[in-house]
Amino acid sequence: MRVIAKKTLREFWSRHNDCEAALKTWYHEAETSKWKTPSDIKNEFPSASFLQGNRIIFNIKGNHYRLVVKINYDYGIVWIRFIGTHKQYDKIDAKTI
């Protein structure tokens, strides 16, 4: 998969360095995967939550942080839409972000 944009993750872990390893691991897993369906993701990330519009919520670092992405399965692209704490996550609409 092509993940857009790693810069978002780097900027986040520069402020929250306790999640750097977890975000790098997620990025590597996503980048080397060939997800074609939500089931493919669920097999790798059982705690992932799926929303309308091909949006997925990943729990990062033991659910300390939330990562919201949007996926185009046909083109193999993952767009990072949000990364933040639970408090920050509670202030967004993950279905539209």
mmCIF file of all heavy atoms in Angstrom, residues 1 3 21-35 41 43-45 58 78:
data_model
loop_
_atom_site.group_PDB
_atom_site.id
_atom_site.type_symbol
_atom_site.label_atom_id
_atom_site.label_comp_id
_atom_site.label_asym_id
_atom_site.label_seq_id
_atom_site.Cartn_x
_atom_site.Cartn_y
_atom_site.Cartn_z
ATOM 1 N N MET A 1 0.850 -1.175 0.000
ATOM 2 C CA MET A 1 0.000 0.000 0.000
ATOM 3 C C MET A 1 0.899 1.242 0.000
ATOM 4 O O MET A 1 1.989 1.236 0.558
ATOM 5 C CB MET A 1 -0.897 0.032 1.238
ATOM 6 C CG MET A 1 -1.793 -1.191 1.458
ATOM 7 S SD MET A 1 -3.034 -1.489 0.211
ATOM 8 C CE MET A 1 -4.199 -0.196 0.470
ATOM 9 N N VAL A 3 1.222 4.805 1.518
ATOM 10 C CA VAL A 3 0.701 5.559 2.650
ATOM 11 C C VAL A 3 1.033 7.036 2.463
ATOM 12 O O VAL A 3 2.192 7.399 2.289
ATOM 13 C CB VAL A 3 1.298 5.053 3.981
ATOM 14 C CG1 VAL A 3 0.733 5.844 5.149
ATOM 15 C CG2 VAL A 3 1.035 3.559 4.163
ATOM 16 N N ALA A 21 7.802 4.286 18.068
ATOM 17 C CA ALA A 21 8.010 2.894 17.647
ATOM 18 C C ALA A 21 6.708 2.278 17.135
ATOM 19 O O ALA A 21 6.706 1.575 16.117
ATOM 20 C CB ALA A 21 8.583 2.072 18.794
ATOM 21 N N ALA A 22 5.608 2.541 17.828
ATOM 22 C CA ALA A 22 4.315 1.971 17.413
ATOM 23 C C ALA A 22 3.881 2.511 16.054
ATOM 24 O O ALA A 22 3.383 1.761 15.207
ATOM 25 C CB ALA A 22 3.255 2.256 18.468
ATOM 26 N N LEU A 23 4.074 3.805 15.817
ATOM 27 C CA LEU A 23 3.691 4.393 14.531
ATOM 28 C C LEU A 23 4.594 3.908 13.406
ATOM 29 O O LEU A 23 4.125 3.645 12.294
ATOM 30 C CB LEU A 23 3.692 5.913 14.598
ATOM 31 C CG LEU A 23 2.519 6.520 15.358
ATOM 32 C CD1 LEU A 23 2.719 8.020 15.525
ATOM 33 C CD2 LEU A 23 1.204 6.228 14.660
ATOM 34 N N LYS A 24 5.885 3.753 13.686
ATOM 35 C CA LYS A 24 6.790 3.212 12.666
ATOM 36 C C LYS A 24 6.416 1.781 12.314
ATOM 37 O O LYS A 24 6.448 1.396 11.143
ATOM 38 C CB LYS A 24 8.242 3.283 13.146
ATOM 39 C CG LYS A 24 8.824 4.675 13.088
ATOM 40 C CD LYS A 24 10.282 4.683 13.552
ATOM 41 C CE LYS A 24 10.910 6.054 13.401
ATOM 42 N NZ LYS A 24 12.306 6.074 13.883
ATOM 43 N N THR A 25 6.042 1.002 13.315
ATOM 44 C CA THR A 25 5.612 -0.380 13.066
ATOM 45 C C THR A 25 4.342 -0.405 12.238
ATOM 46 O O THR A 25 4.231 -1.158 11.270
ATOM 47 C CB THR A 25 5.397 -1.121 14.405
ATOM 48 O OG1 THR A 25 6.633 -1.149 15.110
ATOM 49 C CG2 THR A 25 4.896 -2.532 14.180
ATOM 50 N N TRP A 26 3.349 0.433 12.614
ATOM 51 C CA TRP A 26 2.106 0.489 11.835
ATOM 52 C C TRP A 26 2.405 0.883 10.386
ATOM 53 O O TRP A 26 1.884 0.276 9.450
ATOM 54 C CB TRP A 26 1.108 1.483 12.439
ATOM 55 C CG TRP A 26 -0.125 1.566 11.601
ATOM 56 C CD1 TRP A 26 -1.231 0.782 11.703
ATOM 57 C CD2 TRP A 26 -0.335 2.417 10.468
ATOM 58 N NE1 TRP A 26 -2.122 1.112 10.706
ATOM 59 C CE2 TRP A 26 -1.600 2.112 9.929
ATOM 60 C CE3 TRP A 26 0.418 3.406 9.855
ATOM 61 C CZ2 TRP A 26 -2.120 2.760 8.815
ATOM 62 C CZ3 TRP A 26 -0.103 4.059 8.747
ATOM 63 C CH2 TRP A 26 -1.354 3.733 8.237
ATOM 64 N N TYR A 27 3.228 1.899 10.204
ATOM 65 C CA TYR A 27 3.564 2.382 8.867
ATOM 66 C C TYR A 27 4.204 1.271 8.041
ATOM 67 O O TYR A 27 3.817 1.049 6.890
ATOM 68 C CB TYR A 27 4.498 3.588 8.958
ATOM 69 C CG TYR A 27 4.855 4.158 7.609
ATOM 70 C CD1 TYR A 27 4.016 5.064 6.985
ATOM 71 C CD2 TYR A 27 6.011 3.762 6.942
ATOM 72 C CE1 TYR A 27 4.330 5.588 5.731
ATOM 73 C CE2 TYR A 27 6.330 4.273 5.696
ATOM 74 C CZ TYR A 27 5.489 5.185 5.096
ATOM 75 O OH TYR A 27 5.792 5.684 3.854
ATOM 76 N N HIS A 28 5.158 0.567 8.608
ATOM 77 C CA HIS A 28 5.827 -0.522 7.883
ATOM 78 C C HIS A 28 4.834 -1.616 7.502
ATOM 79 O O HIS A 28 4.849 -2.116 6.379
ATOM 80 C CB HIS A 28 6.970 -1.091 8.721
ATOM 81 C CG HIS A 28 7.633 -2.258 8.076
ATOM 82 N ND1 HIS A 28 8.488 -2.118 6.998
ATOM 83 C CD2 HIS A 28 7.561 -3.587 8.330
ATOM 84 C CE1 HIS A 28 8.908 -3.312 6.623
ATOM 85 N NE2 HIS A 28 8.358 -4.217 7.418
ATOM 86 N N GLU A 29 3.968 -1.980 8.453
ATOM 87 C CA GLU A 29 2.956 -3.015 8.172
ATOM 88 C C GLU A 29 2.021 -2.577 7.047
ATOM 89 O O GLU A 29 1.716 -3.343 6.143
ATOM 90 C CB GLU A 29 2.140 -3.318 9.429
ATOM 91 C CG GLU A 29 2.964 -3.820 10.563
ATOM 92 C CD GLU A 29 2.817 -5.310 10.782
ATOM 93 O OE1 GLU A 29 1.835 -5.880 10.301
ATOM 94 O OE2 GLU A 29 3.691 -5.861 11.450
ATOM 95 N N ALA A 30 1.561 -1.332 7.113
ATOM 96 C CA ALA A 30 0.646 -0.826 6.089
ATOM 97 C C ALA A 30 1.333 -0.750 4.730
ATOM 98 O O ALA A 30 0.765 -1.155 3.713
ATOM 99 C CB ALA A 30 0.111 0.543 6.484
ATOM 100 N N GLU A 31 2.553 -0.238 4.716
ATOM 101 C CA GLU A 31 3.273 -0.043 3.469
ATOM 102 C C GLU A 31 3.598 -1.362 2.757
ATOM 103 O O GLU A 31 3.604 -1.424 1.530
ATOM 104 C CB GLU A 31 4.568 0.722 3.753
ATOM 105 C CG GLU A 31 5.294 1.180 2.521
ATOM 106 C CD GLU A 31 6.519 2.000 2.870
ATOM 107 O OE1 GLU A 31 7.331 1.549 3.702
ATOM 108 O OE2 GLU A 31 6.622 3.103 2.303
ATOM 109 N N THR A 32 3.819 -2.412 3.515
ATOM 110 C CA THR A 32 4.174 -3.700 2.913
ATOM 111 C C THR A 32 2.959 -4.607 2.689
ATOM 112 O O THR A 32 3.104 -5.698 2.143
ATOM 113 C CB THR A 32 5.217 -4.441 3.775
ATOM 114 O OG1 THR A 32 4.695 -4.623 5.090
ATOM 115 C CG2 THR A 32 6.515 -3.657 3.835
ATOM 116 N N SER A 33 1.785 -4.150 3.088
ATOM 117 C CA SER A 33 0.557 -4.945 2.915
ATOM 118 C C SER A 33 -0.045 -4.734 1.537
ATOM 119 O O SER A 33 0.259 -3.764 0.849
ATOM 120 C CB SER A 33 -0.472 -4.552 3.975
ATOM 121 O OG SER A 33 -0.024 -4.897 5.252
ATOM 122 N N LYS A 34 -0.919 -5.649 1.174
ATOM 123 C CA LYS A 34 -1.683 -5.546 -0.071
ATOM 124 C C LYS A 34 -3.160 -5.739 0.270
ATOM 125 O O LYS A 34 -3.790 -6.688 -0.150
ATOM 126 C CB LYS A 34 -1.203 -6.589 -1.074
ATOM 127 C CG LYS A 34 0.240 -6.373 -1.494
ATOM 128 C CD LYS A 34 0.638 -7.304 -2.603
ATOM 129 C CE LYS A 34 2.060 -7.218 -3.047
ATOM 130 N NZ LYS A 34 2.814 -6.054 -2.785
ATOM 131 N N TRP A 35 -3.684 -4.800 1.046
ATOM 132 C CA TRP A 35 -5.070 -4.894 1.481
ATOM 133 C C TRP A 35 -6.006 -4.704 0.304
ATOM 134 O O TRP A 35 -5.923 -3.734 -0.430
ATOM 135 C CB TRP A 35 -5.371 -3.846 2.535
ATOM 136 C CG TRP A 35 -4.581 -4.002 3.804
ATOM 137 C CD1 TRP A 35 -4.183 -5.160 4.403
ATOM 138 C CD2 TRP A 35 -4.106 -2.958 4.649
ATOM 139 N NE1 TRP A 35 -3.488 -4.896 5.556
ATOM 140 C CE2 TRP A 35 -3.424 -3.552 5.734
ATOM 141 C CE3 TRP A 35 -4.189 -1.571 4.592
ATOM 142 C CZ2 TRP A 35 -2.839 -2.814 6.754
ATOM 143 C CZ3 TRP A 35 -3.602 -0.828 5.609
ATOM 144 C CH2 TRP A 35 -2.943 -1.441 6.673
ATOM 145 N N ILE A 41 -7.482 -6.250 6.462
ATOM 146 C CA ILE A 41 -6.988 -5.404 7.546
ATOM 147 C C ILE A 41 -7.325 -6.037 8.891
ATOM 148 O O ILE A 41 -6.493 -6.079 9.797
ATOM 149 C CB ILE A 41 -7.589 -3.990 7.452
ATOM 150 C CG1 ILE A 41 -7.125 -3.326 6.156
ATOM 151 C CG2 ILE A 41 -7.201 -3.145 8.670
ATOM 152 C CD1 ILE A 41 -7.822 -2.034 5.833
ATOM 153 N N ASN A 43 -7.607 -9.045 9.665
ATOM 154 C CA ASN A 43 -6.717 -10.178 9.950
ATOM 155 C C ASN A 43 -5.409 -9.709 10.578
ATOM 156 O O ASN A 43 -4.853 -10.389 11.439
ATOM 157 C CB ASN A 43 -6.412 -10.965 8.675
ATOM 158 C CG ASN A 43 -7.600 -11.753 8.198
ATOM 159 O OD1 ASN A 43 -8.481 -12.103 8.971
ATOM 160 N ND2 ASN A 43 -7.645 -12.033 6.906
ATOM 161 N N GLU A 44 -4.899 -8.571 10.163
ATOM 162 C CA GLU A 44 -3.652 -8.028 10.695
ATOM 163 C C GLU A 44 -3.859 -7.180 11.948
ATOM 164 O O GLU A 44 -3.000 -7.131 12.814
ATOM 165 C CB GLU A 44 -2.943 -7.170 9.640
ATOM 166 C CG GLU A 44 -2.291 -7.965 8.542
ATOM 167 C CD GLU A 44 -1.497 -7.080 7.604
ATOM 168 O OE1 GLU A 44 -0.648 -6.299 8.093
ATOM 169 O OE2 GLU A 44 -1.744 -7.153 6.391
ATOM 170 N N PHE A 45 -4.981 -6.474 11.992
ATOM 171 C CA PHE A 45 -5.275 -5.553 13.092
ATOM 172 C C PHE A 45 -6.674 -5.849 13.629
ATOM 173 O O PHE A 45 -7.639 -5.154 13.298
ATOM 174 C CB PHE A 45 -5.191 -4.100 12.606
ATOM 175 C CG PHE A 45 -3.829 -3.678 12.155
ATOM 176 C CD1 PHE A 45 -3.477 -3.744 10.812
ATOM 177 C CD2 PHE A 45 -2.888 -3.221 13.070
ATOM 178 C CE1 PHE A 45 -2.222 -3.352 10.381
ATOM 179 C CE2 PHE A 45 -1.627 -2.834 12.661
ATOM 180 C CZ PHE A 45 -1.290 -2.898 11.316
ATOM 181 N N PHE A 58 -7.410 2.890 13.816
ATOM 182 C CA PHE A 58 -6.433 1.990 14.415
ATOM 183 C C PHE A 58 -6.092 2.497 15.807
ATOM 184 O O PHE A 58 -5.926 3.702 16.014
ATOM 185 C CB PHE A 58 -5.141 1.953 13.584
ATOM 186 C CG PHE A 58 -5.304 1.341 12.230
ATOM 187 C CD1 PHE A 58 -5.561 2.148 11.130
ATOM 188 C CD2 PHE A 58 -5.203 -0.022 12.050
ATOM 189 C CE1 PHE A 58 -5.708 1.600 9.867
ATOM 190 C CE2 PHE A 58 -5.347 -0.579 10.786
ATOM 191 C CZ PHE A 58 -5.597 0.226 9.703
ATOM 192 N N VAL A 78 -3.462 4.550 1.093
ATOM 193 C CA VAL A 78 -3.928 4.822 2.448
ATOM 194 C C VAL A 78 -3.629 6.283 2.755
ATOM 195 O O VAL A 78 -2.472 6.691 2.734
ATOM 196 C CB VAL A 78 -3.201 3.924 3.475
ATOM 197 C CG1 VAL A 78 -3.658 4.249 4.886
ATOM 198 C CG2 VAL A 78 -3.414 2.448 3.153
#
